[in-house]
Every structure is written in C-alpha cells, then in structure tokens.
Amino acid sequence: MMDIINYLFETFSSNMMDIPLIAPIVDYLMKIPVINVLVALILWKPFFAVIIMPGLGVLVLYLLYVVWYERKLTARIQWRVGPLEVARPIRGAIQALADGIRYFFQEAIVHREAHRPYYVQLPILAFIPVLLPIMFIPAGSAVGIYTPYSIQLIVTFIALIPITIVAIGWAANSRFAYIGSVREAFMYFAYEVPFIIAVISMIFLYGSGDAYVAVEKQSAIPGALLNPIAFIVYIIAMLMATSRLPFEIPEADQEIAFGPFVEYSGILFGLVMVLAYEKLYIMTLLFTILFLGGWSGLYCPLLGDLNGPLWMFIKTIVVISILVIVRSIYARYRLDQALRIGWTSMLALSIAALVVGGALGVWLS
Amino acid sequence: MDEFIEFVRGGPLGPIKKWGTKWSLWPVHLVTACCGAELAHAFAAGYDGERIGALNYGIARQTNLIIVEGAITRKMARVLRITWEQMPDPKFVIVMGACGLQGGIFWNGYHLVKPSDVVPVDFFIPGCPPTPEALLRGIRQLQFKIETGEAKTSATFPEISLEAGRKPRVLPRPPKKISKAPAVIVNAPKEVDWEFGQKLVEELKAKIEAKSVTITGKNRIAVKVESDSITKTAIRLKEMGFDHIKNVNVIDVPNEDKFIVEYHFSSYSVKELMPVIVNVFADIPRDNPKVKSLANMFPSADYMEREMYDFFGVIFEGNPWMGRKFLLAPDAPEFPLRKDFKLEEEVYVR
C-alpha cells in the first residue's frame, strides 16, 4: 500500500508545476504525509492542464462568465440594464448560477413520444467529444497527453460533436427537433469542409500537427498575419459551428424553438444548452494555438509555469468576448444563404488559404 | 400551487432552491389581448424586466412561470391548460388584466372562462391594461412569496366599516317586465335620386314574386319574400347577374315571435350592379326556424350560414354542417345571441 502511494507521489512530484508565487505554501504542505500526495496530484502537469487550467475548472468559470456577459452585453446594446438584482455589487454576475440551480431542481420531463434511453443519455454522451480535446490541448509545459498529432486530433473530436446533436434531435422525436436536426446536418456540411481545409493550410504552414511546433514558429509573427485568409475562414466557420447569431440556424428560437433541444427541460436542458458554449471554448483554444501564438506572452517570473495556461486562457476569453458581440448586432441568415456562403465564397477562400499556407510552408522550411 | 412553494422551500437544500427559483423566473407569455403590449413594454428598454432575473421565453418546456395576458375564452382555456401542463414543476401562474380577473369588458359573456378555473393562479394584476410597473411588481410579489412562503397583496387599503360611513345608496333593481320592443323594420323606404334603381326595381318586380320591393337608400334595395321562395328568388337574381352573397344575417324579434333572415346579394361581374346590394329577407317562425340553404348555389354563404346556426339556431336545410358548433367552442351554451338567452344573474354585493 505504502509502496503504491510512494510510487504515485514520486510520479506526481517529478513533473510538478513550478509556481514561485505559491512555492512557500506548497513546500509547507509537501511535508504533511497524506496531503502532500493530493497537492502533488493537483500540481502534476497533466492533471493541472486537464482538470484545472485550461481544462474543466476554468471551463466552469468561463461558462458562468460567458452566459452572464452575453446577456449583459446584449442588454447594453439594446439600452437595457440586463441581469442585475441577483447580486447588485457585482452587477448580477452570478445570474447564470441562479438559472443553473433552478434548472437543477426542476422536473426533467421525458415525453411519451421520445426514445427514452437515448433521450436521457445523449445530453451526457454529447460531452465526450466536447471534453476529450482538452486532453490533447497543451498550454505551455502543461499538457494532458503529448502527441505530435494534437491539432488533427482536436479537429477530429470537434467534427464528432454535430453527430450527437443530430442524434439528440432524432431521440426527441418532435417536429421542431426534426427540423432543427436537419438544419444542423446541413450546416455541418456547410462549415466543416472550409474549416478543415483552413486548419490543414495552417498545418502545411507550420510543417507539423504538433502544437508546440506551431507556437514556436509564431514566435516572431502570429499566424493571423502569416495566413490572414485562413484566419477569416476559421472565424466564420467558428460562428457557424457554434450557432452564433448570423448563423444561428439550427436552434433559431423565434421560428423553431431551439430546434433539437425543444423538448428538453430541467437539468437536461441545462446540459444541452451549454454544449454550444463548450464547443466555442474548445474551438477558440485551437484558434489561439493556430493564429494568436498560443501560450506565448510576457513572461512573469513570479508565476513560473503558470504563465502558459494563464496567457492561453486570457487570449481565449478575449477572443470569445469579441465574438459574443456578433450575436447582438447581426440578423440571421436563411439556411440556403448560409449553405451558399459555405459552399462558394468560404470554400474558395479556404482553398486560397491552402495555397498561401503551402507556399509559405515550403519557403519557411 | 402551494405544493410548489412547499417544494421550493422545503428540504435541507431549501435555501439554495429558494434562491435559484426566486432569481430565475422565466415567463412564458400567453398573449390573447392588449396586455401583451404592456408585457413587451415591461421587458424593453424603459423598465427592463431582465434586471430581476426574468427572461422572456417563447417555449413552455424550459420555463417556470406563465403570464396570462388578457381574456381567456372557452377555446383558449384548452390552450392555457396544455401550456401549463407542458411546463416542468415547480411552476407559477400570474394573470394580467381585468379580463382575467373578472371578465373586464367581457364581463358575464357567454364565451368567457376565468383563468382561475383552469389553472391555479398565484397572483392577479388588476388594470386595463396594467402598467409595466404593475407587472414587474407582480413578479416581485411572486419572488417574495417564494422567499417568505406567504402570498401578500402589494396594495393595502384602509378598512372602513359600512355602518360608520354614509348610508348605502339604494341600488338599482332588475327590471320587472320587459316593455314591448318596437317592430323591426328592415325595408324602410327612402327617397333618393337614383334612376338606375327605379329601373332595377321594375325589373325585379317583373321577375320575382315579391311581397314588396323597396329602395332603402342609394344602391340599396330590400326585397321581402316568402320564406319558401328564397331559393327561387336567388335563381332569378343569379340570372340577372348577382353572382355572390355578401352577408347572411338573422334578426331575432321575440315580441313578434319570428326571426328575420337576410341575404345580401351583390355582383362582381356586371359593372352596373357592382355597387348595388339587394337585401332579400323573409320572416320565419321562431318555434320552427327552418329555411332553405343557398350554400350550394352561392358558396360564400356557407360559412355565414354555419355561423348563424351557431348564434341563433336557425336551421339552413341542405347545409351539411347544421347541428354542429362551427366557430364556438364545443362546450359553449347553445344559441347565445337569441334575445331570451339566460346569462348569469347579476349580483349586487352590499
């Protein structure tokens, strides 16, 4: 028993985050017998990257932030105040928490026409392709599983998400859910091809699917300036993929009442509602790595190894906060218009990006 | 309704449940009337209901509050009940406006249902329509109810005993007898300068066995016929170029023990006849109200005949819809526009 604990402790402590700011506390805690294993586990680099930053821990914080921020920003643009009275000193920042608690304690209705097992388990199954990419996203020296094909793997998991959403619509077995699933499938074909070509052009440019190589190559000029066409295509594809407003076609709440999610209630709706936000988070992490220089930034010696994840998180939040503005100032495209954009201008742009990326990649190497 | 409040407040997790539900009352709004405009106002820039955590949602499944705006008719009662049952527990109901409270301007109507008979109501907001402030105050009151567990009215009035004040006025009494109504005259003649009309009257007199043909105004002619010769008259008018029926009407004249059935003929195809409306009317007995239908000849008469059956119980023989409710709800009382239709007794509260 002690051997196993010792072995675990040595494994964890050999690869720990080195943060000078909290070093005295860590040193003190490492002397206490049982707690030192826990501290070592938390600061173990793979665990830290996946569970704390930029993984699940900050993902929850981000969800609370982005829902509130979106409502507040929309309200300000419409000359309103937005959520306020729930917590006046912090401008109602915990509104999303109140909504989440209300969802959690509400009845979750499973209607008679639904395919009961799928209907209940698909919202949870949908988290697998959404959360698995976090294993492969590196942030500085902290990485869950290192592989030289991390970018390809992340793109693969992102491509799996719409399948679960279509399955949700099928299991709900209602007419709005059906229309929403068909729209989701259409949109999937509209954005996926330009999106993948844009990512491939960046892989050509960096000569590798390894995130570390990509960030290293951007040390002088960020990828957004190296290949601006791929940058534009990626942003538009990201808006399409996460149902942001100009392309909020699958879950248009004014016409088809949240599409695939129309029949969900209670905690199940809380789960499916955050799917798009989590997808946005993952895609923005990839966006940061590909175009904005990933975790590189001003090095603060006090933070040590925390610099990488922190810079990555800050860049991601800034990008998302800018993208959220789009929701409150644009009207919605029709399905056929979105499909036309996907299959004509975006496809052409992505192929141009592929040419630019390939040429630059050959020249740089 | 109180079981929901008990659920929200009860248990070891009560404080958390209470807090979450209180600050996240998402209303689904069931608009039947003008109160919907006030609700839009309450959630727009000026008053901004989102401040107190209420977010308007169009979908019943994801909400926990229903705001009923306006009068609920017998047909809408079903919709209200279905919407309420679609919502997940715990759920609350706020009824807005005087119509939902006691009927408002539709008070004592044959078609009206009180929302409190259909769903358990938490709060009423009086007013016609209530102001946005009143609506937001209703939502605040519901929040207080969730927090403290007791429903309180937000308005308080001083109590005055009836004896202490001035003597109660003598209230008007219901009328003991109904005086004889004057005869209903459909074909009151009128002198107008209308040459074509004179010609038309001559032509009609020659072709139709009418009791009387009168000019009742410019471009208006009234033709009185026997009730069994309406079909014959319609055929003649069709030959003359009158190709559609604009209106079917029934007048109840209980003191003469008769219904007057009117058909208004006009034309779309002959240019001179376009402005002309010929009113063909006949008296039918009140105890056996039967008349031949014109729906086969003039399809536009079909719906209006059904409607007249709904309201007056006049049977148009040959129309296949007779004996069924058309526009009224299936459980509506029979023939509500007859003058001897009994409404609820007016009650004065002293």
Side-chain angles (χ1 to χ4, degrees):
Chain A
M1 187 64 189
M2 286 310 290
D3 292 342
I4 299 171
I5 289 176
N6 280 336
Y7 172 72
L8 283 177
F9 180 67
E10 269 161 35
T11 317
F12 296 154
S13 55
S14 64
N15 192 13
M16 266 171 60
M17 299 285 290
D18 176 27
I19 305 170
L21 188 66
I22 56 167
I25 307 168
V26 173
D27 286 342
Y28 173 72
L29 288 175
M30 289 300 267
K31 285 170 197 155
I32 307 167
V34 182
I35 292 176
N36 60 0
V37 182
L38 284 177
V39 172
L41 174 66
I42 288 170
L43 289 177
W44 188 39
K45 277 176 180 172
F47 186 89
F48 191 85
V50 173
I51 303 293
I52 295 174
M53 200 179 209
L56 296 177
V58 291
L59 180 61
V60 172
L61 280 184
Y62 148 81
L63 284 177
L64 288 181
Y65 161 77
V66 76
V67 173
W68 167 78
Y69 177 75
E70 193 169 9
R71 282 173 71 174
K72 200 82 179 167
L73 188 75
T74 311
R76 291 312 297 159
I77 287 172
Q78 295 169 356
W79 281 27
R80 292 189 289 114
V81 182
L84 177 67
E85 298 287 337
V86 58
R88 230 188 146 87
I90 47 171
R91 317 299 292 165
I94 48 173
Q95 178 64 51
L97 189 66
D99 290 338
I101 287 172
R102 196 259 291 170
Y103 275 138
F104 194 83
F105 290 108
Q106 259 192 319
E107 181 188 12
I109 299 171
V110 181
H111 55 288
R112 205 181 300 139
E113 284 80 14
H115 293 255
R116 191 173 280 258
Y118 297 113
Y119 182 80
V120 176
Q121 62 178 272
L122 271 170
I124 297 145
L125 282 183
F127 275 80
I128 294 173
V130 175
L131 296 184
L132 266 186
I134 291 176
M135 302 278 282
F136 304 100
I137 294 176
S141 54
V143 56
I145 299 170
Y146 172 74
T147 130
Y149 305 106
S150 53
I151 294 173
Q152 289 97 320
L153 268 173
I154 296 165
V155 171
T156 312
F157 284 122
I158 289 172
L160 279 176
I161 299 169
I163 295 168
T164 59
I165 295 180
V166 171
I168 283 173
W170 174 78
N173 201 4
S174 122
R175 68 196 71 172
F176 290 127
Y178 174 72
I179 297 170
S181 321
V182 171
R183 286 184 177 195
E184 175 73 34
F186 269 120
M187 288 299 290
Y188 180 50
F189 282 100
Y191 74 79
E192 200 64 29
V193 174
F195 169 67
I196 289 177
I197 293 177
V199 174
I200 287 174
S201 78
M202 295 314 283
I203 294 176
F204 274 6
L205 206 159
Y206 303 134
S208 164
D210 189 348
Y212 285 97
V213 178
V215 172
E216 196 190 321
K217 289 251 170 101
Q218 294 176 64
S219 52
I221 312 168
L225 298 178
L226 284 173
N227 195 349
I229 307 174
F231 178 77
I232 292 167
V233 171
Y234 194 103
I235 285 188
I236 299 174
M238 191 150 68
L239 292 174
M240 279 183 167
T242 55
S243 313
R244 300 273 96 195
L245 202 78
F247 304 103
E248 197 205 23
I249 294 161
E251 46 192 69
D253 58 325
Q254 291 93 344
E255 44 190 274
I256 55 169
F258 280 92
F261 313 139
V262 60
E263 296 290 351
Y264 280 99
S265 59
I267 188 63
L268 291 176
F269 180 72
L271 287 178
V272 294
M273 195 190 74
V274 296
L275 267 184
Y277 290 110
E278 280 160 1
K279 194 178 176 187
L280 180 68
Y281 183 69
I282 300 299
M283 290 185 88
T284 317
L285 282 178
L286 182 60
F287 178 79
T288 316
I289 289 174
L290 285 179
F291 296 101
L292 299 179
W295 51 85
S296 56
L298 275 179
Y299 187 80
C300 175
L302 261 183
L303 295 176
D305 279 348
L306 193 63
N307 267 304
L310 201 63
W311 271 111
M312 187 107 163
F313 185 62
I314 289 171
K315 283 179 183 177
T316 308
I317 289 291
V318 168
V319 169
I320 288 172
S321 302
I322 293 167
L323 283 180
V324 159
I325 300 176
V326 173
R327 183 188 175 88
S328 43
I329 56 179
Y330 277 109
R332 187 165 51 236
Y333 281 114
R334 288 201 311 272
L335 179 61
D336 61 320
Q337 288 169 330
L339 283 176
R340 200 187 303 136
I341 291 169
W343 281 108
T344 54
S345 44
M346 264 177 74
L347 190 64
L349 275 177
S350 62
I351 288 168
L354 193 66
V355 173
V356 171
L360 266 177
V362 170
W363 185 61
L364 281 177
S365 65
Chain B
M1 96 188 133
D2 286 333
E3 61 189 295
F4 295 144
I5 297 284
E6 270 166 35
F7 167 76
V8 165
R9 294 171 50 74
L13 291 173
I16 300 176
K17 280 190 284 188
K18 209 164 73 178
W19 181 79
T21 312
K22 182 188 166 192
W23 292 113
S24 173
L25 289 168
W26 289 13
V28 58
H29 54 121
L30 195 99
V31 187
T32 58
C34 44
C35 290
E38 295 303 317
L39 181 119
H41 192 182
F43 284 88
Y47 294 94
D48 189 21
E50 209 183 343
R51 277 179 307 132
I52 52 175
L55 179 70
N56 255 305
Y57 235 56
I59 308 139
R61 282 259 194 252
Q62 287 117 37
T63 48
N64 62 346
L65 168 65
I66 181 165
I67 296 182
V68 181
E69 293 141 38
I72 295 297
T73 56
R74 281 172 192 272
K75 276 185 168 179
M76 279 307 284
R78 194 164 160 268
V79 176
L80 173 60
R81 186 75 196 181
I82 289 173
T83 315
W84 186 76
E85 278 174 2
Q86 274 186 348
M87 283 161 43
D89 300 344
K91 51 199 169 187
F92 310 101
V93 182
I94 287 179
V95 172
M96 204 178 159
C99 308
L101 198 59
Q102 275 293 334
I105 54 170
F106 309 111
W107 183 75
N108 223 355
Y110 61 90
H111 61 293
L112 217 67
V113 173
K114 281 175 194 149
S116 48
D117 296 344
V118 185
V119 289
V121 181
D122 288 276
F123 280 99
F124 290 103
I125 304 171
C128 188
T131 53
E133 295 100 320
L135 174 61
L136 293 180
R137 200 154 98 177
I139 297 175
R140 282 301 274 183
Q141 250 1 77
L142 182 56
Q143 288 186 344
F144 288 135
K145 185 180 176 185
I146 292 167
E147 200 183 347
T148 60
E150 50 185 308
K152 267 198 305 190
T153 168
S154 70
T156 49
F157 302 103
E159 257 185 44
I160 298 171
S161 66
L162 282 174
E163 286 77 26
R166 61 196 155 82
K167 280 181 191 169
R169 265 182 300 161
V170 180
L171 293 169
R173 290 192 186 158
K176 288 225 173 92
K177 60 168 188 174
I178 298 168
S179 63
K180 274 217 165 188
V184 178
I185 300 167
V186 179
N187 54 348
K190 194 177 176 188
E191 289 293 321
V192 282
D193 183 22
W194 184 31
E195 270 182 36
F196 179 68
Q198 304 290 348
K199 237 178 2 184
L200 207 59
V201 168
E202 294 306 314
E203 200 182 337
L204 284 168
K205 271 180 181 164
K207 284 191 176 171
I208 300 168
E209 310 162 11
K211 278 182 170 174
S212 72
V213 180
T214 353
I215 294 177
T216 54
K218 181 105 193 236
N219 292 334
R220 299 287 183 272
I221 296 171
V223 181
K224 187 172 186 182
V225 295
E226 287 291 338
S227 64
D228 44 3
S229 66
I230 284 182
T231 323
K232 230 185 289 173
T233 316
I235 294 169
R236 292 283 140 71
L237 285 171
K238 199 165 193 178
E239 284 163 3
M240 281 171 67
F242 290 93
D243 56 2
H244 71 283
I245 285 178
K246 274 209 190 302
N247 190 17
V248 180
N249 190 21
V250 173
I251 303 169
D252 186 10
V253 193
N255 53 334
E256 292 177 30
D257 210 24
K258 69 177 183 184
F259 286 118
I260 303 174
V261 180
E262 296 181 334
Y263 283 96
H264 291 180
F265 290 82
S266 188
S267 174
Y268 285 136
S269 50
V270 183
K271 201 185 170 198
E272 304 86 67
L273 299 181
M274 276 182 196
V276 181
I277 292 177
V278 175
N279 176 6
V280 175
F281 68 99
D283 297 347
I284 52 172
R286 213 156 176 284
D287 50 352
N288 185 24
K290 277 184 183 165
V291 70
K292 285 270 189 308
S293 166
L294 295 185
N296 292 332
M297 218 184 305
F298 297 93
S300 63
D302 186 13
Y303 275 22
M304 292 178 280
E305 283 175 359
R306 297 180 193 183
E307 207 179 325
M308 285 306 118
Y309 174 76
D310 261 12
F311 287 142
F312 291 98
V314 175
I315 294 168
F316 293 87
E317 287 171 324
N319 192 327
W321 199 277
M322 291 303 117
R324 281 187 281 165
K325 290 269 174 20
F326 176 50
L327 288 179
L328 293 184
D331 60 338
E334 275 200 323
F335 315 141
L337 289 198
R338 280 192 184 188
K339 282 194 176 131
D340 56 357
F341 178 77
K342 279 273 180 286
L343 281 170
E344 276 177 46
E345 289 271 316
E346 218 172 304
V347 179
Y348 292 111
V349 180
R350 275 179 194 269

